[in-house]
Every structure is written in C-alpha cells, then in structure tokens.
Amino acid sequence: MANQQSNSGNPSVDYEYRRKKNAEDMRMQVSAFALMIFLTLVAFIAVAGDFDKYFVIPFILLLAVVQLVFQLYYFMHMSHKGHEAPALFLYSGALVGFITILVFLTIVWI
C-alpha cells in the first residue's frame, strides 16, 4: 500500500482533472448531438427530394444505424470502462435480432 500513488490527498489536482475530463466529455456530446441533427436533416432531405424509394429506404436505415452508434457511445457512455457486460448483452441482442430478421427474410424469399 505504501507504493500506491494517489492524488486523493490533494483535492485541487483531482478537481482540475475532473473539470478537464467533464469539459472534454461535454464537447464530445455536443459534437455528436450536432452530427445527429445533421444526419436527421439529411434523412428529411432524402425523403423530400423525391428520390427513388429503393435508394431512400436503405439510406435512411444506414443513417439510423449511424445515429444508434453515436447514441450508444456518446450518450449512453458505452465507450467508458465498466460497461463491458451491458455492451455484451446489447450486442448479443442486436445479433439475435439481425439473425431473426435475416431468417424471416430468407424464408419469405424462398
């Protein structure tokens, strides 16, 4: 225990580190939010632009997946340490859902 270094004895160092880390996290969240608003506007423009529906539907689904990833990593903090177990369950559920949809689509198309 004597070899462990800790800054808990100096609260000003901990405060400055937390303040810097919180500012960095907030900056990333605001950037991700702005990007998600932009992707939403792009989706609205794709629908309003009278493009072919075989282009618009996959394009909107792709934008939805990108927004889902941003929400998971920036707003639900899945990129932080200690969230490995919830991430495993989330990705396992997404994999099961994808396989289920794929199976139903192949059954319908055969």
Side-chain angles (χ1 to χ4, degrees):
M1 286 214 147
N3 292 337
Q4 267 187 336
Q5 259 186 335
S6 174
N7 290 331
S8 62
N10 189 354
S12 65
V13 174
D14 289 339
Y15 175 74
E16 288 301 319
Y17 172 76
R18 282 186 280 150
R19 184 174 172 203
K20 182 179 176 184
K21 185 70 173 161
N22 288 341
E24 182 180 313
D25 286 343
M26 181 61 75
R27 189 172 28 257
M28 291 298 291
Q29 286 185 350
V30 169
S31 300
F33 180 72
L35 185 62
M36 285 190 291
I37 293 295
F38 174 73
L39 292 175
T40 302
L41 291 175
V42 169
F44 278 123
I45 291 170
V47 171
D50 291 331
F51 293 107
D52 187 27
K53 71 176 182 178
Y54 294 109
F55 167 74
V56 172
I57 293 172
F59 183 67
I60 290 176
L61 290 175
L62 176 68
L63 291 177
V65 168
V66 170
Q67 285 192 4
L68 175 71
V69 169
F70 274 111
Q71 288 180 9
L72 287 176
Y73 279 94
Y74 291 110
F75 293 117
M76 296 182 71
H77 307 288
M78 294 300 278
S79 61
H80 292 167
K81 290 183 179 180
H83 290 100
E84 292 84 13
L88 175 68
F89 287 116
L90 186 75
Y91 296 137
S92 299
L95 180 65
V96 168
F98 174 74
I99 290 172
T100 303
I101 291 171
L102 185 66
V103 165
F104 283 129
L105 284 176
T106 54
I107 288 173
V108 170
W109 284 97
I110 291 180

